[in-house]
Amino acid sequence: MSKTNPHAPSELKTIGFTPFIYCSNQPLFHVTRDVPLGDALAMASDFLFLAKELTRDAAFNRDTDRHIWAAHYLTAMSKAVVDDAMKVLQRPVRTKAESEVERPESN
C-alpha cells in the first residue's frame, strides 16, 4: 500500500463543481471531476492563448464576428477551469488528527 499525500500539488484534482455556458438559465457544461490540477490549468492556459489570438484577429477582421464568439467560449471554459481549481486550492485542509477521528456509530 503506497502512502501519498492527497494535498501534495501533484495529487490535487478538479472537483467538477463549476458550470459554464448556460442555456435557459441552466448550465450546459461542467468542469470534469478528477482531472489532475496541473493538466487542467495547462488546458486553461492553452484556451486563453487561443482566445487571445482570436481577439487579435477579430480586431483586424471586422467582416465577421466568428472570431470573437470563439474567443468568448474559450474564455468561459478557461474561467470555469480556473474557478474549479481555486475551489480545490481554497478547501480547508484536514489535519491528520481530523482524518483519523472515527465517527460515532449510530444505533
Side-chain angles (χ1 to χ4, degrees):
M1 184 166 137
S2 67
K3 293 182 180 180
T4 60
N5 179 357
H7 303 296
S10 62
E11 300 293 323
L12 295 175
K13 297 183 185 221
T14 57
I15 55 177
F17 287 160
T18 309
F20 62 98
I21 311 295
Y22 287 80
C23 292
S24 302
N25 295 325
Q26 295 182 17
L28 187 59
F29 300 105
H30 283 83
V31 172
T32 301
R33 182 185 180 116
D34 291 331
V35 175
L37 223 51
D39 293 344
L41 290 172
M43 184 59 66
S45 179
D46 290 345
F47 289 158
L48 289 169
F49 172 78
L50 291 170
K52 179 183 77 105
E53 293 298 309
L54 287 167
T55 55
R56 187 184 58 149
D57 290 349
F60 294 109
N61 183 3
R62 299 187 187 269
D63 296 337
T64 181
D65 63 355
R66 71 175 177 221
H67 291 92
I68 204 66
W69 280 109
H72 167 74
Y73 289 117
L74 286 167
T75 55
M77 289 187 288
S78 302
K79 182 180 181 337
V81 171
V82 171
D83 288 351
D84 203 77
M86 289 305 299
K87 289 173 187 169
V88 171
L89 295 172
Q90 292 175 341
R91 282 192 307 199
V93 177
R94 291 176 57 177
T95 65
K96 184 177 180 182
E98 290 173 333
S99 298
E100 293 174 350
V101 172
E102 293 183 29
R103 293 184 185 171
E105 293 181 9
S106 58
N107 295 345

